[in-house]
Amino acid sequence: MAIFSVFVVNKAGGLIYQLDSYAPRAEAEKTFSYPLDLLLKLHDDRVLVAFGQRDGIRVGHAVLAINGVDVSGKYTADGKEVLEYLGNPANYPVSIRFGRPRLTSNEKLMLASMFHSLFAIGSQLSPEQGSSGIEMLETDTFKLHCFQTLTGIKFVVLADPRQAGIDSLLRKIYEIYSDFALKNPFYSLEMPIRYVAPDAQAQWPWLTGPAAPRHVGSSQTGARTGVPCIGRQTLNHCATREALELFLNKTKV
């Protein structure tokens, strides 16, 4: 059982936060000889199968690893360009692992907006007035759970169908959002939640306290001037994104 993804969508349908807590599942792995009997093409900086379904490898699958070396986008972890590497006969035989690719940032934005529209349609289709909209969608591999606040913010969780306690999780995420974002005087409502890497403290070693590295990333004033605000070293001034990630990592099953 697991939590796959978390989305926070504003009342206009814009994606303001997204977290993936799963790795793409490998569908098939096979050793090939030259020439490669699959047609691979570059699409959205990912190497995808365009033609030649066989042995569990399907059109749309992405190249996840070559000879055990992970692939990120169009490059392997050791810096080799995938299509160039596979076009060289000297590199064969080669073992390639395929699977469904991760969603790109643009695809996540599009899906958030699409769900916002479906939610509104679902509310209007209801025979009763005041419908809450879509609260759960169920498939054979995952369940989509949605909790909408009174102000129109939607918290969406994709989880294993057997995962229990999602209602409590949604409300806990809402509580974290309220405490860490809405109480932050530098956060603009309806805007994406961002943060900088935890090593930001290295740039300002005189910052102290457990919230210091996160505090730097949560201050828009500090980002503009290069001088972090050190007058609010409290937990509520930390970046919301990091708080949510820490919480969700603790709730993985």
Side-chain angles (χ1 to χ4, degrees):
M1 294 186 291
I3 305 298
F4 299 138
S5 299
V6 175
F7 293 79
V8 181
V9 183
N10 64 25
K11 60 185 178 184
L15 183 65
I16 61 176
Y17 174 83
Q18 197 278 331
L19 171 68
D20 287 326
S21 59
Y22 72 99
R25 182 167 62 91
E27 304 283 353
E29 186 168 5
K30 185 174 176 60
T31 300
F32 295 88
S33 57
Y34 188 84
L36 192 65
D37 54 357
L38 296 172
L39 177 60
L40 303 178
K41 287 189 175 181
L42 190 64
H43 180 70
D44 286 341
D45 282 333
R46 296 177 298 191
V47 179
L48 305 179
V49 178
F51 181 80
Q53 293 191 160
R54 52 170 294 183
D55 302 326
I57 303 169
R58 303 187 181 280
V59 171
H61 278 184
V63 176
L64 301 181
I66 296 177
N67 292 331
V69 179
D70 289 339
V71 170
S72 177
K74 58 182 180 179
Y75 295 98
T76 62
D78 52 6
K80 298 175 182 176
E81 206 275 329
V82 173
L83 292 179
E84 182 180 338
Y85 182 86
L86 295 178
N88 186 350
N91 295 323
Y92 287 80
V94 62
S95 175
I96 307 177
R97 186 165 72 243
F98 297 90
R100 293 186 60 186
R102 285 186 180 273
L103 295 175
T104 64
S105 297
N106 287 337
E107 288 171 337
K108 292 173 183 177
L109 291 169
M110 179 187 67
L111 290 174
S113 178
M114 187 179 300
F115 179 76
H116 174 76
S117 300
L118 290 173
F119 189 95
I121 292 172
S123 299
Q124 294 182 8
L125 287 175
S126 172
E128 299 291 336
Q129 292 185 353
S131 171
S132 62
I134 297 173
E135 292 186 351
M136 185 181 71
L137 293 175
E138 184 173 359
T139 72
D140 57 341
T141 57
F142 74 93
K143 281 185 180 180
L144 182 150
H145 303 260
C146 177
F147 169 65
Q148 179 176 248
T149 69
L150 295 176
T151 56
I153 301 293
K154 297 177 185 65
F155 297 88
V156 181
V157 168
L158 274 62
D160 188 285
R162 301 164 296 172
Q163 181 69 50
I166 300 298
D167 288 342
S168 300
L169 173 64
L170 284 167
R171 282 158 178 77
K172 184 63 178 179
I173 294 174
Y174 177 35
E175 179 184 331
I176 292 174
Y177 171 78
S178 300
D179 285 343
F180 284 68
L182 300 186
K183 293 179 182 179
N184 182 347
F186 299 102
Y187 174 68
S188 300
L189 294 177
E190 311 291 325
M191 296 302 292
I193 299 167
R194 305 181 185 279
Y195 78 106
V196 296
D199 63 355
Q201 190 178 20
Q203 302 175 27
W204 297 285
W206 36 269
L207 283 176
T208 58
R214 304 171 181 82
H215 167 79
V216 172
S218 68
S219 172
Q220 292 183 9
T221 302
R224 288 196 302 267
T225 64
V227 179
C229 170
I230 60 172
R232 298 178 181 272
Q233 292 181 20
T234 63
L235 190 60
N236 285 340
H237 198 56
C238 298
T240 314
R241 174 182 283 270
E242 248 187 8
L244 285 170
E245 289 180 0
L246 289 172
F247 172 73
L248 288 170
N249 287 336
K250 292 180 181 179
T251 58
K252 287 183 180 179
V253 178

